[in-house]
Amino acid sequence: MKKYSGNPVSPGIAFGKALVYLDNNTSEIPCYSIQKNQLDAEWNRYLSANNEAIEELKALNAQAKRDMSNEDAGIFEAHLMMLEDTEFQGQIKGRLETSLQNIEWVIRDISHEISAMLMASLDTYLQERTVDVVDVLRRLMNKLLHVQRVSLADLSEDVILVCHELLPSDALTMNKARVKAIVMDMGGATSHTAILARAFEIPALAGLSSASEEINTGDMLIVNGVSGELIVNPEKSVQTMAEHEWKRYYKRLGELGELRGLPAETRDGYRVSLKANIEISEEAEATLRAGCDGIGLYRSEFLFLAAGRLTDEEEQFKAYSHVLKTMGNLPVTLRTADAGGDKLLPELGLSDERNPLLGWRAIRFSLSRPEILKTQLRAMLRAGVSGNLRIMFPMISGIEELEQALAVLEEAKSELRKQGKVFAEAVPVGIMIEIPSAALTADILAEKSDFFSIGTNDLVQYTIAVDRGNEKVSYLAQPFHPAILRSLKRIIDAAHEKGITAAMCGEMAGNASFTALLLGLGLDEFSMNVPAIPHVKQVIRSVTKESCGRLAKNALGCTSYRDVSSLVEDWTRSELDISYLSGGL
Ligand code: PEP
Ligand code: MG
């Protein structure tokens, strides 16, 4: 028996047999020199393999467009663009002529070089694109070598996929009903595969370094996508314990499922709204199954990240319309792109920032490229006729930025009007409150906002000056810090004084340990990842607003996050069954 600890990127618990899915072809790549008079023949071999790969990708793309959301299909389009890129072809030809090596070896060299360059980048997004380059070039190599790819689409028995890094096209085309979990050596929560695993509700672990070399096909595995634990060939007693845990986890999910149709209302009748955060439009169906009150945050920048490029107005329109139509009358909050920071697209030139988290990001970027913002807003407004749309601007730091963003929105509307396009005229427009300057001027911002949504991930980061991605200082990122509690109170009170809704879409909203305190502070709306919804709903339905109000008052009197934390723990122990707060969060 062996245990590993990984990064849980998609929740759930699974047991099963490992299928080690590795790209072994690289060891069989032939290497030989060629003569100048063989160059044409070698180049023609490349051209015909490239054409075959392009045809295969076109077929996959067409199928993906039928079966999947637009943004997922965009992955194949990005791969196609690479194979069709004449500059890239020129690079291959140049290398073939100078190296006088067989074309397979040339492709192998270029693949290694591009991968090494992307991996060496400090930019996580670029690092994660390595997988796309490897995917495309492996497809090309297979055509050259006439190798038939093992198809995950044809899986006929249940497996746990173990891989160094699962390629996005494999994740999109695999037989999802047969894949019980995914275990990867590489990858982070923003990798395509992690995003897709969450969307497909398949438990997944990433960051297991060399697990794929140590695990064999057929090994028995236990994957815990909540704790991050992976157990290989468990002893009988561990297997029995894990089965027990599995039963408990799914029984609890089942019980929580019974809350689906019930309102998020406290015992004394205080009703709040529970909404979902989504990254890709395909997740909309899952939010409906979870019984939420709408979508409180659609991170539209993922549309660009998944496609690997800026998508045009029509593509965006389709993705937004899909979500709005799926949700029917339930409100859908589309956030304009929060590009920058850790979410980079090479073509936007955002990767040279010296201090990206304090730099050219979110609304700052959008306002400096108003044509990109306007395209987004046009697509959103047009899609708005299919449902109940709300628009939200990220990272507003003060009233000037809000006024500028609203002006671009007006321009988008007047363009659409002139062009006679159908669009939603009266759309509530809100802002994220995630910068201390916005929290401190919430009363001013509330004058021009229809709602607030508090982004605690960034609010904690900027208030306590703690990089949210830096493990060395993560102990400082305490939502219970008195500075955060005071900010939250100020923001919520300012919203209520102006008669607007105070929502929260940062991770704090989806952590049931904070629910009672947030209720006590008067939060109206909680938006979170879909699996967290029933956990938070259960806490809400178990408490009274009155008691939560007392808890919040006492918490605001504390002088340290430790004191707030102990206070909340004691309160929880006395008011709630503590097991409510464990598991699945
Ligand atoms: C936040 O900052 O809390 C938030 C929801 O936005 P993001 O995580 O996308 O920065
Ligand atoms: Mg944010």
Side-chain angles (χ1 to χ4, degrees), residues 180-212:
K180 297 299 153 199
I182 302 170
V183 170
M184 296 175 280
D185 293 345
M186 305 276 293
T190 60
S191 69
H192 279 139
T193 306
I195 295 169
L196 295 170
R198 284 197 293 276
F200 300 146
E201 298 181 60
I202 297 174
L205 304 182
L208 285 155
S209 47
S210 56
S212 72

PDB file of all heavy atoms in Angstrom, residues 180-212:
ATOM      1  N   LYS A 180     -13.970   7.203 -13.544  1.00  0.00           N
ATOM      2  CA  LYS A 180     -14.476   7.433 -12.197  1.00  0.00           C
ATOM      3  C   LYS A 180     -13.676   8.508 -11.467  1.00  0.00           C
ATOM      4  O   LYS A 180     -14.158   9.120 -10.518  1.00  0.00           O
ATOM      5  CB  LYS A 180     -14.438   6.124 -11.381  1.00  0.00           C
ATOM      6  CG  LYS A 180     -15.333   5.049 -11.947  1.00  0.00           C
ATOM      7  CD  LYS A 180     -16.790   5.514 -11.938  1.00  0.00           C
ATOM      8  CE  LYS A 180     -17.634   4.858 -13.011  1.00  0.00           C
ATOM      9  NZ  LYS A 180     -18.867   5.560 -13.320  1.00  0.00           N
ATOM     10  N   ALA A 181     -12.441   8.714 -11.886  1.00  0.00           N
ATOM     11  CA  ALA A 181     -11.611   9.767 -11.283  1.00  0.00           C
ATOM     12  C   ALA A 181     -10.411   9.993 -12.193  1.00  0.00           C
ATOM     13  O   ALA A 181     -10.105   9.163 -13.060  1.00  0.00           O
ATOM     14  CB  ALA A 181     -11.145   9.356  -9.891  1.00  0.00           C
ATOM     15  N   ILE A 182      -9.767  11.132 -11.994  1.00  0.00           N
ATOM     16  CA  ILE A 182      -8.564  11.443 -12.777  1.00  0.00           C
ATOM     17  C   ILE A 182      -7.457  11.822 -11.791  1.00  0.00           C
ATOM     18  O   ILE A 182      -7.684  12.584 -10.852  1.00  0.00           O
ATOM     19  CB  ILE A 182      -8.813  12.633 -13.728  1.00  0.00           C
ATOM     20  CG1 ILE A 182      -9.973  12.315 -14.674  1.00  0.00           C
ATOM     21  CG2 ILE A 182      -7.563  12.982 -14.527  1.00  0.00           C
ATOM     22  CD1 ILE A 182     -10.456  13.502 -15.494  1.00  0.00           C
ATOM     23  N   VAL A 183      -6.283  11.261 -12.040  1.00  0.00           N
ATOM     24  CA  VAL A 183      -5.139  11.508 -11.170  1.00  0.00           C
ATOM     25  C   VAL A 183      -3.981  11.967 -12.055  1.00  0.00           C
ATOM     26  O   VAL A 183      -3.619  11.268 -12.998  1.00  0.00           O
ATOM     27  CB  VAL A 183      -4.760  10.181 -10.463  1.00  0.00           C
ATOM     28  CG1 VAL A 183      -3.453  10.307  -9.742  1.00  0.00           C
ATOM     29  CG2 VAL A 183      -5.859   9.754  -9.508  1.00  0.00           C
ATOM     30  N   MET A 184      -3.452  13.156 -11.778  1.00  0.00           N
ATOM     31  CA  MET A 184      -2.417  13.702 -12.674  1.00  0.00           C
ATOM     32  C   MET A 184      -1.154  14.080 -11.897  1.00  0.00           C
ATOM     33  O   MET A 184      -1.236  14.630 -10.802  1.00  0.00           O
ATOM     34  CB  MET A 184      -2.935  14.972 -13.356  1.00  0.00           C
ATOM     35  CG  MET A 184      -4.107  14.738 -14.267  1.00  0.00           C
ATOM     36  SD  MET A 184      -4.775  16.283 -14.927  1.00  0.00           S
ATOM     37  CE  MET A 184      -5.778  16.863 -13.572  1.00  0.00           C
ATOM     38  N   ASP A 185      -0.004  13.806 -12.508  1.00  0.00           N
ATOM     39  CA  ASP A 185       1.260  14.252 -11.899  1.00  0.00           C
ATOM     40  C   ASP A 185       1.323  15.777 -11.884  1.00  0.00           C
ATOM     41  O   ASP A 185       1.830  16.396 -10.975  1.00  0.00           O
ATOM     42  CB  ASP A 185       2.464  13.782 -12.736  1.00  0.00           C
ATOM     43  CG  ASP A 185       2.628  12.273 -12.728  1.00  0.00           C
ATOM     44  OD1 ASP A 185       2.012  11.625 -11.868  1.00  0.00           O
ATOM     45  OD2 ASP A 185       3.364  11.760 -13.575  1.00  0.00           O
ATOM     46  N   MET A 186       0.850  16.361 -12.975  1.00  0.00           N
ATOM     47  CA  MET A 186       1.006  17.802 -13.190  1.00  0.00           C
ATOM     48  C   MET A 186      -0.333  18.508 -13.022  1.00  0.00           C
ATOM     49  O   MET A 186      -1.324  17.899 -12.712  1.00  0.00           O
ATOM     50  CB  MET A 186       1.474  18.058 -14.632  1.00  0.00           C
ATOM     51  CG  MET A 186       2.703  17.340 -15.045  1.00  0.00           C
ATOM     52  SD  MET A 186       4.140  18.243 -14.545  1.00  0.00           S
ATOM     53  CE  MET A 186       4.008  19.690 -15.575  1.00  0.00           C
ATOM     54  N   GLY A 187      -0.284  19.792 -13.344  1.00  0.00           N
ATOM     55  CA  GLY A 187      -1.542  20.525 -13.474  1.00  0.00           C
ATOM     56  C   GLY A 187      -1.958  21.248 -12.224  1.00  0.00           C
ATOM     57  O   GLY A 187      -1.622  20.851 -11.106  1.00  0.00           O
ATOM     58  N   GLY A 188      -2.662  22.354 -12.432  1.00  0.00           N
ATOM     59  CA  GLY A 188      -3.186  23.133 -11.317  1.00  0.00           C
ATOM     60  C   GLY A 188      -4.678  23.307 -11.502  1.00  0.00           C
ATOM     61  O   GLY A 188      -5.256  22.801 -12.462  1.00  0.00           O
ATOM     62  N   ALA A 189      -5.263  24.031 -10.587  1.00  0.00           N
ATOM     63  CA  ALA A 189      -6.716  24.194 -10.617  1.00  0.00           C
ATOM     64  C   ALA A 189      -7.186  24.978 -11.835  1.00  0.00           C
ATOM     65  O   ALA A 189      -8.358  24.929 -12.191  1.00  0.00           O
ATOM     66  CB  ALA A 189      -7.169  24.886  -9.340  1.00  0.00           C
ATOM     67  N   THR A 190      -6.261  25.719 -12.491  1.00  0.00           N
ATOM     68  CA  THR A 190      -6.710  26.481 -13.665  1.00  0.00           C
ATOM     69  C   THR A 190      -6.396  25.751 -14.965  1.00  0.00           C
ATOM     70  O   THR A 190      -6.602  26.301 -16.038  1.00  0.00           O
ATOM     71  CB  THR A 190      -6.063  27.877 -13.726  1.00  0.00           C
ATOM     72  OG1 THR A 190      -4.644  27.717 -13.797  1.00  0.00           O
ATOM     73  CG2 THR A 190      -6.442  28.730 -12.541  1.00  0.00           C
ATOM     74  N   SER A 191      -5.858  24.522 -14.889  1.00  0.00           N
ATOM     75  CA  SER A 191      -5.584  23.807 -16.134  1.00  0.00           C
ATOM     76  C   SER A 191      -6.921  23.433 -16.777  1.00  0.00           C
ATOM     77  O   SER A 191      -7.922  23.260 -16.090  1.00  0.00           O
ATOM     78  CB  SER A 191      -4.760  22.554 -15.870  1.00  0.00           C
ATOM     79  OG  SER A 191      -5.543  21.616 -15.183  1.00  0.00           O
ATOM     80  N   HIS A 192      -6.903  23.299 -18.105  1.00  0.00           N
ATOM     81  CA  HIS A 192      -8.138  22.938 -18.805  1.00  0.00           C
ATOM     82  C   HIS A 192      -8.763  21.691 -18.214  1.00  0.00           C
ATOM     83  O   HIS A 192      -9.963  21.604 -18.021  1.00  0.00           O
ATOM     84  CB  HIS A 192      -7.833  22.621 -20.273  1.00  0.00           C
ATOM     85  CG  HIS A 192      -7.706  23.829 -21.130  1.00  0.00           C
ATOM     86  ND1 HIS A 192      -6.748  23.948 -22.093  1.00  0.00           N
ATOM     87  CD2 HIS A 192      -8.428  24.956 -21.165  1.00  0.00           C
ATOM     88  CE1 HIS A 192      -6.891  25.113 -22.690  1.00  0.00           C
ATOM     89  NE2 HIS A 192      -7.903  25.744 -22.144  1.00  0.00           N
ATOM     90  N   THR A 193      -7.909  20.706 -17.947  1.00  0.00           N
ATOM     91  CA  THR A 193      -8.438  19.418 -17.501  1.00  0.00           C
ATOM     92  C   THR A 193      -9.120  19.541 -16.134  1.00  0.00           C
ATOM     93  O   THR A 193     -10.160  18.925 -15.909  1.00  0.00           O
ATOM     94  CB  THR A 193      -7.318  18.371 -17.494  1.00  0.00           C
ATOM     95  OG1 THR A 193      -6.728  18.379 -18.794  1.00  0.00           O
ATOM     96  CG2 THR A 193      -7.829  16.998 -17.187  1.00  0.00           C
ATOM     97  N   ALA A 194      -8.538  20.345 -15.234  1.00  0.00           N
ATOM     98  CA  ALA A 194      -9.172  20.535 -13.921  1.00  0.00           C
ATOM     99  C   ALA A 194     -10.530  21.223 -14.095  1.00  0.00           C
ATOM    100  O   ALA A 194     -11.523  20.833 -13.474  1.00  0.00           O
ATOM    101  CB  ALA A 194      -8.270  21.367 -13.020  1.00  0.00           C
ATOM    102  N   ILE A 195     -10.573  22.204 -14.972  1.00  0.00           N
ATOM    103  CA  ILE A 195     -11.840  22.921 -15.217  1.00  0.00           C
ATOM    104  C   ILE A 195     -12.879  21.932 -15.765  1.00  0.00           C
ATOM    105  O   ILE A 195     -14.027  21.908 -15.326  1.00  0.00           O
ATOM    106  CB  ILE A 195     -11.629  24.063 -16.241  1.00  0.00           C
ATOM    107  CG1 ILE A 195     -10.693  25.124 -15.671  1.00  0.00           C
ATOM    108  CG2 ILE A 195     -12.958  24.696 -16.650  1.00  0.00           C
ATOM    109  CD1 ILE A 195     -10.229  26.144 -16.706  1.00  0.00           C
ATOM    110  N   LEU A 196     -12.427  21.098 -16.703  1.00  0.00           N
ATOM    111  CA  LEU A 196     -13.368  20.160 -17.312  1.00  0.00           C
ATOM    112  C   LEU A 196     -13.801  19.082 -16.318  1.00  0.00           C
ATOM    113  O   LEU A 196     -14.961  18.694 -16.288  1.00  0.00           O
ATOM    114  CB  LEU A 196     -12.739  19.515 -18.555  1.00  0.00           C
ATOM    115  CG  LEU A 196     -12.466  20.504 -19.695  1.00  0.00           C
ATOM    116  CD1 LEU A 196     -11.630  19.839 -20.787  1.00  0.00           C
ATOM    117  CD2 LEU A 196     -13.757  21.039 -20.289  1.00  0.00           C
ATOM    118  N   ALA A 197     -12.863  18.602 -15.485  1.00  0.00           N
ATOM    119  CA  ALA A 197     -13.223  17.571 -14.497  1.00  0.00           C
ATOM    120  C   ALA A 197     -14.325  18.106 -13.576  1.00  0.00           C
ATOM    121  O   ALA A 197     -15.290  17.399 -13.277  1.00  0.00           O
ATOM    122  CB  ALA A 197     -11.994  17.167 -13.679  1.00  0.00           C
ATOM    123  N   ARG A 198     -14.186  19.348 -13.166  1.00  0.00           N
ATOM    124  CA  ARG A 198     -15.236  19.934 -12.309  1.00  0.00           C
ATOM    125  C   ARG A 198     -16.549  20.018 -13.070  1.00  0.00           C
ATOM    126  O   ARG A 198     -17.610  19.700 -12.538  1.00  0.00           O
ATOM    127  CB  ARG A 198     -14.814  21.321 -11.823  1.00  0.00           C
ATOM    128  CG  ARG A 198     -13.791  21.287 -10.708  1.00  0.00           C
ATOM    129  CD  ARG A 198     -13.726  22.627  -9.983  1.00  0.00           C
ATOM    130  NE  ARG A 198     -13.196  23.693 -10.809  1.00  0.00           N
ATOM    131  CZ  ARG A 198     -11.895  23.945 -10.984  1.00  0.00           C
ATOM    132  NH1 ARG A 198     -11.009  23.189 -10.377  1.00  0.00           N
ATOM    133  NH2 ARG A 198     -11.499  24.943 -11.737  1.00  0.00           N
ATOM    134  N   ALA A 199     -16.456  20.461 -14.325  1.00  0.00           N
ATOM    135  CA  ALA A 199     -17.688  20.598 -15.112  1.00  0.00           C
ATOM    136  C   ALA A 199     -18.359  19.240 -15.308  1.00  0.00           C
ATOM    137  O   ALA A 199     -19.580  19.143 -15.298  1.00  0.00           O
ATOM    138  CB  ALA A 199     -17.383  21.234 -16.454  1.00  0.00           C
ATOM    139  N   PHE A 200     -17.546  18.163 -15.459  1.00  0.00           N
ATOM    140  CA  PHE A 200     -18.116  16.832 -15.678  1.00  0.00           C
ATOM    141  C   PHE A 200     -18.390  16.107 -14.353  1.00  0.00           C
ATOM    142  O   PHE A 200     -18.793  14.947 -14.361  1.00  0.00           O
ATOM    143  CB  PHE A 200     -17.157  15.958 -16.507  1.00  0.00           C
ATOM    144  CG  PHE A 200     -16.833  16.526 -17.873  1.00  0.00           C
ATOM    145  CD1 PHE A 200     -15.583  16.342 -18.442  1.00  0.00           C
ATOM    146  CD2 PHE A 200     -17.781  17.250 -18.587  1.00  0.00           C
ATOM    147  CE1 PHE A 200     -15.281  16.864 -19.696  1.00  0.00           C
ATOM    148  CE2 PHE A 200     -17.484  17.770 -19.845  1.00  0.00           C
ATOM    149  CZ  PHE A 200     -16.235  17.576 -20.401  1.00  0.00           C
ATOM    150  N   GLU A 201     -18.088  16.778 -13.236  1.00  0.00           N
ATOM    151  CA  GLU A 201     -18.293  16.211 -11.891  1.00  0.00           C
ATOM    152  C   GLU A 201     -17.547  14.888 -11.710  1.00  0.00           C
ATOM    153  O   GLU A 201     -18.074  13.907 -11.200  1.00  0.00           O
ATOM    154  CB  GLU A 201     -19.789  16.054 -11.590  1.00  0.00           C
ATOM    155  CG  GLU A 201     -20.510  17.410 -11.609  1.00  0.00           C
ATOM    156  CD  GLU A 201     -21.987  17.316 -11.303  1.00  0.00           C
ATOM    157  OE1 GLU A 201     -22.323  16.847 -10.212  1.00  0.00           O
ATOM    158  OE2 GLU A 201     -22.794  17.713 -12.156  1.00  0.00           O
ATOM    159  N   ILE A 202     -16.292  14.858 -12.158  1.00  0.00           N
ATOM    160  CA  ILE A 202     -15.423  13.693 -11.970  1.00  0.00           C
ATOM    161  C   ILE A 202     -14.366  14.066 -10.937  1.00  0.00           C
ATOM    162  O   ILE A 202     -13.646  15.057 -11.132  1.00  0.00           O
ATOM    163  CB  ILE A 202     -14.736  13.304 -13.309  1.00  0.00           C
ATOM    164  CG1 ILE A 202     -15.792  12.885 -14.332  1.00  0.00           C
ATOM    165  CG2 ILE A 202     -13.705  12.199 -13.094  1.00  0.00           C
ATOM    166  CD1 ILE A 202     -15.247  12.612 -15.718  1.00  0.00           C
ATOM    167  N   PRO A 203     -14.252  13.309  -9.822  1.00  0.00           N
ATOM    168  CA  PRO A 203     -13.232  13.652  -8.826  1.00  0.00           C
ATOM    169  C   PRO A 203     -11.841  13.678  -9.470  1.00  0.00           C
ATOM    170  O   PRO A 203     -11.546  12.823 -10.313  1.00  0.00           O
ATOM    171  CB  PRO A 203     -13.323  12.518  -7.792  1.00  0.00           C
ATOM    172  CG  PRO A 203     -14.637  11.851  -8.042  1.00  0.00           C
ATOM    173  CD  PRO A 203     -15.009  12.109  -9.469  1.00  0.00           C
ATOM    174  N   ALA A 204     -11.018  14.638  -9.088  1.00  0.00           N
ATOM    175  CA  ALA A 204      -9.683  14.716  -9.704  1.00  0.00           C
ATOM    176  C   ALA A 204      -8.660  15.253  -8.733  1.00  0.00           C
ATOM    177  O   ALA A 204      -8.958  16.113  -7.890  1.00  0.00           O
ATOM    178  CB  ALA A 204      -9.730  15.598 -10.954  1.00  0.00           C
ATOM    179  N   LEU A 205      -7.439  14.705  -8.854  1.00  0.00           N
ATOM    180  CA  LEU A 205      -6.299  15.197  -8.086  1.00  0.00           C
ATOM    181  C   LEU A 205      -5.219  15.621  -9.069  1.00  0.00           C
ATOM    182  O   LEU A 205      -4.992  14.955 -10.078  1.00  0.00           O
ATOM    183  CB  LEU A 205      -5.708  14.100  -7.202  1.00  0.00           C
ATOM    184  CG  LEU A 205      -6.614  13.395  -6.201  1.00  0.00           C
ATOM    185  CD1 LEU A 205      -5.806  12.372  -5.401  1.00  0.00           C
ATOM    186  CD2 LEU A 205      -7.231  14.408  -5.252  1.00  0.00           C
ATOM    187  N   ALA A 206      -4.516  16.708  -8.731  1.00  0.00           N
ATOM    188  CA  ALA A 206      -3.404  17.142  -9.576  1.00  0.00           C
ATOM    189  C   ALA A 206      -2.169  17.284  -8.695  1.00  0.00           C
ATOM    190  O   ALA A 206      -2.253  17.183  -7.466  1.00  0.00           O
ATOM    191  CB  ALA A 206      -3.750  18.465 -10.239  1.00  0.00           C
ATOM    192  N   GLY A 207      -1.019  17.488  -9.337  1.00  0.00           N
ATOM    193  CA  GLY A 207       0.210  17.778  -8.593  1.00  0.00           C
ATOM    194  C   GLY A 207       0.754  16.582  -7.833  1.00  0.00           C
ATOM    195  O   GLY A 207       1.294  16.736  -6.735  1.00  0.00           O
ATOM    196  N   LEU A 208       0.658  15.359  -8.417  1.00  0.00           N
ATOM    197  CA  LEU A 208       1.136  14.165  -7.691  1.00  0.00           C
ATOM    198  C   LEU A 208       2.560  13.776  -8.104  1.00  0.00           C
ATOM    199  O   LEU A 208       2.976  12.641  -7.936  1.00  0.00           O
ATOM    200  CB  LEU A 208       0.170  13.007  -7.925  1.00  0.00           C
ATOM    201  CG  LEU A 208      -1.127  13.166  -7.130  1.00  0.00           C
ATOM    202  CD1 LEU A 208      -2.274  12.422  -7.793  1.00  0.00           C
ATOM    203  CD2 LEU A 208      -0.965  12.671  -5.703  1.00  0.00           C
ATOM    204  N   SER A 209       3.268  14.660  -8.670  1.00  0.00           N
ATOM    205  CA  SER A 209       4.652  14.563  -9.192  1.00  0.00           C
ATOM    206  C   SER A 209       4.983  13.299 -10.002  1.00  0.00           C
ATOM    207  O   SER A 209       4.976  13.359 -11.203  1.00  0.00           O
ATOM    208  CB  SER A 209       5.705  14.892  -8.155  1.00  0.00           C
ATOM    209  OG  SER A 209       5.458  14.249  -6.971  1.00  0.00           O
ATOM    210  N   SER A 210       5.260  12.150  -9.365  1.00  0.00           N
ATOM    211  CA  SER A 210       5.688  11.024 -10.210  1.00  0.00           C
ATOM    212  C   SER A 210       4.753   9.821 -10.077  1.00  0.00           C
ATOM    213  O   SER A 210       5.119   8.691 -10.407  1.00  0.00           O
ATOM    214  CB  SER A 210       7.109  10.610  -9.828  1.00  0.00           C
ATOM    215  OG  SER A 210       7.126  10.319  -8.453  1.00  0.00           O
ATOM    216  N   ALA A 211       3.537  10.048  -9.602  1.00  0.00           N
ATOM    217  CA  ALA A 211       2.614   8.928  -9.373  1.00  0.00           C
ATOM    218  C   ALA A 211       2.426   8.090 -10.631  1.00  0.00           C
ATOM    219  O   ALA A 211       2.361   6.858 -10.561  1.00  0.00           O
ATOM    220  CB  ALA A 211       1.274   9.462  -8.877  1.00  0.00           C
ATOM    221  N   SER A 212       2.370   8.732 -11.787  1.00  0.00           N
ATOM    222  CA  SER A 212       2.082   7.969 -13.012  1.00  0.00           C
ATOM    223  C   SER A 212       3.203   6.992 -13.351  1.00  0.00           C
ATOM    224  O   SER A 212       2.991   6.023 -14.068  1.00  0.00           O
ATOM    225  CB  SER A 212       1.829   8.910 -14.188  1.00  0.00           C
ATOM    226  OG  SER A 212       3.030   9.513 -14.591  1.00  0.00           O
TER     227      SER A 212
END
